[in-house]
Structure formats: structure tokens, C-alpha cells
Amino acid sequence: MKPFILGIFQYIGPNGTIGSAWQHPDDTSADFLKISHWTTLAQKFEAAKLDFLFLADSYGFPALNGELIDAALAEGRGIPHGDPMPIVSAMAAVTSNLGFILTTSTTVEPPAANARRFATLDHFTDGRIGWNIVTGSSGATAAALMGKDLISHDLRYDMADEYVDVNLALWEGSWSDDALVLDKQAGLYAEPDKVRMVHYEGEHFRTDGVLSVPPSPQRTPLLVQAGASGRGRRFAGRHAEAVFLAGGDPAVVAANVASIRQSAVAEGRSPDSIKLLVGALFITAETHDEAREKYDEMLSMSTNEGAAAIYAGNTGIDLLALDPDRPLDQTSTEMGQSNLERYLSKDGTPAPLVRDILENFRTTGINGSVFVGSPEEVADQAEAFIATTGADGFLIQPHMTPGTYDDFIDLILPILRERGLAPTEYSGNTLRQRLFGAGAHLPDEHHGAGFRA
Ligand SMILES: Cc1cc2nc3c(=O)[nH]c(=O)nc-3n(C[C@H](O)[C@H](O)[C@H](O)COP(=O)(O)O)c2cc1C
């Protein structure tokens, strides 16, 4: 088995991904608006040689029928949260290898604004940037906040295809590799005939212009995607170089992994041109019993009301208003579909009841797998999970900040290293080189290469 790719999941807010851990005396996540909180974490992750820090984001917030959900505010879940972009430069300044994957939605800003910001950050980080492309979770509230109507689910993805293409056209097409001259003696900054206007006309987006930033180390940031609906998987096949998957039932994850690799093949790409990374929570301690105690403590900070608020913000469905003894009667949503599809009847198995859905969501949250046990037990579970699913690694979710990470780094990582399942040194200069062991730029088989001049 190859060494796992290991990234860290965070968002600019209090709490981990299950319950409201900020209230625990040892948790520091309520400091999320202090720069030092992030620079300290980034240095910790780099010292452990972890591949990247992923920052999730959404403009959405938990609300139903135009009203904020009280439990979300009371518990600090889904709101508040800040913008991930501004903190990256500070973290890049105190690290030199850690990658940063940032989320932006294709439904908020014009694509050219996104292209310029990522190009600038790719310079500031020396090629350590990735873009997590989302069509936006909590889509209804995000759209209303922006003064727009919610765009239907599949149309959002059709628009996202064009949105990404505009970005690719600007990154790949504007500047030739040798356009920047910087000859002080000759007084020549850039070769005028090696920088060109880009023209793109789609159904939903157009641009006539140039990327104002000279080519960055990767040109196009590492392209990442996170929506696992059927349409989301097709989108991944076309664009993504890495996909974040929710964990959970290994058989379901294995099917998603296979389906996403198949979508890449359908786009003329090789099946391993996409790295599949599974969201997972690792709860460990020196002994099995201590780990179980930590797990129970985590669940004691996770309420039905808080879980239902997050679920409602994500899908538009209020689990607390439904009959707990029936399955979901709604089988589609124009909001995020992954968290609805997850609880529908599959392959003839009966659909779970609302009470079981709520309990599952309360205890596993939006991203899925929870591994609990002694360090050896957890390493065994993680290894078995990768063997069964064919995924490439994990996105390590926080419960306690920084406790969950300290436990992973101090107790689990040494065992993974002993087994050859985690790298001991950084390799590759850019994030793309680290993950693929190949070049810094988008590979030629990716359709984005077609935008090169
Ligand atoms: C590990 C992981 C991280 C995610 N991070 C984000 C995020 O930061 N922002 C976001 O809007 N959606 C994020 N998503 C995706 C949403 O959960 C949701 O699936 C998606 O936005 C809607 O697309 P879909 O209908 O294809 O599921 C993430 C998903 C996973 C599994």
C-alpha cells in the first residue's frame, strides 16, 4: 500500500465537525479570529509533515423559512464563520512546505476575480495553493444573502463547468512561460507579444481580458472538488485532481471512489488522475478505554438541535419537524444532495428512519467516518478502510482543537510511519508535485491544457 495523503480539515469558525467542542476547557477553536491561532496550527502541521491544510467555506448559514435557527447560534454551529482567504498569507509566511486548499463557490463572485486571487496566492505560497471548487452548501441562504435566487442543483453544476473554464482560460492562456523578462538594463518588464487577451463566451459566463498576474509556480492551483451527488461526480471527472469524499459505509465510499475514477476516464483522463481523500475523525488515546471516554465526551457536546440545524442549512430539510418513525419522504432537493442521498434506500436496503438519520448525523456529522480506539486499533481501522475503498488518503477532521490533531500526530502518525503508510519527509516543491510526483503544472491530459496558447 502507498503512503496515505494526509490533509487537515478546518474552517474559520469555532468547533470541530461534530457537536460544539468550543465549550470544552482544553479547546482553542473560539480563537478562530486571531492570526496567532492559525499560524501556530500551520507550524504544528508542517512539523508533522502533513500534506496540506484545507479550509472549508460557505456563505450559507443555518436557517429555515427565512429565520435563523436558534440552536445554531446558541452552539456556535454553522455560524459564526470567517473568510479563509486572508489568513493564508500569514500561514504561508511561517511555513515553507505545508499546502493550503481553499474553498470558494462558483455562485458568488465573478470567475475572473477568483482567478486573480488564486494566482496571487499561488505566488505568495510558492505554489502551495489548491482550490476546493464548490457550488455552495447551504445554497438557499447564501443565494438570499447575495440578493440572488437559488439556482437549481444541476444547473449550478452546468454553470460551474463554465466558471472553472473561465478561470482555466485566464490562468493557462494569458501569459506565455517566457513572457516575463524583467531586464532592468533594457528596461523591459514583459514581452508584449507573449501576453494575450483571453476571449471566452459561454452560456452563463464570458470574459474578454487578461489575467493581470504573471504565471505562478503552478499556474492553475491544484483543482479540488467536494460534492458527491451524481452530477457532482461528473463535474469531478472533468475538472478535479483531488476529491474530498464523506466517509461512512466503506462499501458506499468504495462505489463513490470507483464512480469518480470512471468519470475521469470518461473525460479522457487516467483513473488515478484524481486523488480521493476521505473525511474522517480520529479519536484516540493511550488505551482503548480512554479513547472511548473521549468519544463519549465528544457526543455529550453534540445535541439533536445542533445537528438538525446543520442538516437543515445543508439540505433545507428540518429533521425535527418530521415523524421520527418514518423514512424521509423527500427524495430530492435543489440544495446540497449528498447529505440527502446518503439517507435514501439503496440497493434494496430499507431507508433509515428519521430518528436514526438524526442520530447518525449527530454522531458522524457532515463528513462521515469516525475511527475510535487505541492508536494501534485506529491505525488498523484506517488501513483497512483504505484497502476496502481504494481511496488515497484522509482529510483529518477536528473534534477538539488542537487536541484531535495532537493525538493524531503524537500517537497515530508514528504507527503509520512504521508501516510505511505516512511519509517521513516532504517531497516536491509545489502542492501538485507533492500529490502526484510529476510536474508543477496541470497535466496535458487535463482539458484545461487546451486553453494554453
Ligand atoms: C470533506 C468535505 C468537505 C466539504 N467542504 C465544503 C465546503 O467547504 N463548502 C461547501 O460549500 N461544500 C463543501 N462540501 C460539499 C457539500 O457537503 C455539498 O456536498 C456540496 O456543496 C453540494 O454538492 P452536491 O449536491 O454534489 O453534494 C464538502 C464535502 C465534503 C465531503
Side-chain angles (χ1 to χ4, degrees):
M1 201 181 277
K2 283 180 299 182
F4 302 160
I5 295 170
L6 294 170
I8 294 284
F9 182 113
Q10 268 289 337
Y11 74 107
I12 310 293
N15 291 324
T17 45
I18 296 178
S20 48
W22 66 269
Q23 58 191 290
H24 193 284
D26 297 338
D27 189 89
T28 62
S29 65
D31 289 337
F32 70 96
L33 292 171
K34 294 192 170 75
I35 288 182
S36 59
H37 175 71
W38 295 104
T39 50
T40 306
L41 281 176
Q43 286 172 313
K44 181 190 291 288
F45 302 147
E46 175 153 289
K49 311 267 190 305
L50 298 174
D51 290 305
F52 63 85
L53 168 62
F54 159 62
L55 294 174
D57 191 30
S58 170
Y59 274 100
F61 48 87
L64 274 170
N65 308 319
E67 298 285 338
L68 287 168
I69 301 176
D70 289 351
L73 278 157
E75 298 184 20
R77 299 198 59 191
I79 184 169
H81 56 255
D83 189 326
M85 285 272 179
I87 196 64
V88 171
S89 292
M91 291 193 286
V94 297
T95 55
S96 46
N97 286 292
L98 185 69
F100 301 99
I101 299 182
L102 300 184
T103 305
T104 64
S105 166
T106 55
T107 58
V108 178
E109 284 188 294
N114 189 71
R116 188 180 69 158
R117 197 166 307 111
F118 272 98
T120 307
L121 280 174
D122 200 45
H123 279 287
F124 286 171
T125 60
D126 295 317
R128 292 187 276 147
I129 279 287
W131 174 26
N132 178 36
I133 312 162
V134 296
T135 55
S137 62
S138 306
T141 50
L145 178 67
M146 296 297 154
K148 297 178 183 172
D149 293 330
L150 177 66
I151 307 161
S152 62
H153 181 268
D154 286 9
L155 177 59
R156 274 205 304 277
Y157 273 111
D158 294 345
M159 294 172 72
D161 276 330
E162 285 190 10
Y163 189 99
V164 176
D165 282 356
V166 173
N167 278 269
L168 288 168
L170 289 164
W171 288 322
E172 297 292 325
S174 298
W175 295 66
S176 295
D177 284 338
D178 54 354
L180 200 62
V181 184
L182 282 179
D183 185 336
K184 289 195 181 198
Q185 238 115 52
L188 184 64
Y189 191 85
E191 202 75 75
D193 60 356
K194 292 188 174 164
V195 185
R196 61 199 70 77
M197 294 278 280
V198 167
H199 304 285
Y200 180 97
E201 174 106 37
E203 207 177 314
H204 310 288
F205 294 104
R206 55 180 279 223
T207 193
D208 292 289
V210 67
L211 181 72
S212 59
V213 186
S216 62
Q218 299 182 112
R219 271 187 182 265
T220 292
L222 183 84
L223 299 175
V224 184
Q225 193 266 357
S229 62
R231 183 62 183 87
R233 291 198 295 269
R234 264 203 288 139
F235 179 85
R238 180 163 172 78
H239 303 287
E241 301 175 273
V243 171
F244 295 147
L245 284 173
D249 180 351
V252 174
V253 175
N256 274 338
V257 166
S259 151
I260 290 167
R261 294 205 194 286
Q262 196 48 47
S263 327
V265 172
E267 293 286 338
R269 305 168 65 200
S270 57
D272 52 5
S273 60
I274 304 185
K275 300 293 183 193
L276 280 309
L277 306 175
V278 180
L281 192 60
F282 295 83
I283 306 283
T284 195
E286 297 287 352
T287 67
H288 175 92
D289 290 348
E290 283 172 75
R292 293 303 307 187
E293 276 166 31
K294 272 191 193 174
Y295 180 61
D296 291 343
E297 185 184 47
M298 175 182 87
L299 294 188
S300 74
M301 293 185 281
S302 183
T303 66
N304 280 346
E305 290 73 21
I310 296 291
Y311 193 82
N314 205 258
T315 59
I317 298 169
D318 182 4
L319 292 175
L320 292 175
L322 299 176
D323 182 345
D325 292 315
R326 289 175 52 86
L328 288 176
D329 47 17
Q330 190 174 335
T331 52
S332 70
T333 173
E334 291 306 332
M335 293 175 59
Q337 291 183 351
S338 303
N339 282 309
L340 175 61
E341 287 176 0
R342 173 176 170 186
Y343 296 122
L344 299 178
S345 152
K346 268 180 228 84
D347 305 328
T349 55
L353 305 178
V354 165
R355 71 168 71 252
D356 300 326
I357 296 173
L358 189 55
E359 182 59 7
N360 180 274
F361 200 71
R362 183 182 79 84
T363 55
T364 62
I366 59 165
N367 297 325
S369 291
V370 184
F371 301 124
V372 188
S374 69
E376 285 283 348
E377 287 169 337
V378 168
D380 289 347
Q381 293 168 37
E383 191 174 347
F385 192 90
I386 295 287
T388 311
T389 59
D392 298 287
F394 293 106
L395 190 58
I396 303 161
Q397 292 173 228
H399 157 46
M400 295 272 285
T401 305
T404 313
Y405 304 131
D406 289 335
D407 290 345
F408 187 88
I409 292 167
D410 296 340
L411 301 175
I412 300 174
L413 208 47
I415 299 175
L416 294 181
R417 291 212 167 107
E418 250 170 54
R419 299 182 187 181
L421 296 177
T424 47
E425 286 305 326
Y426 278 119
S427 64
N429 292 328
T430 65
L431 184 56
R432 182 173 286 112
Q433 285 168 301
R434 164 108 27 87
L435 262 50
F436 288 94
H441 292 165
L442 211 53
D444 290 344
E445 67 168 23
H446 192 284
H447 78 98
F451 290 106
R452 288 174 191 151

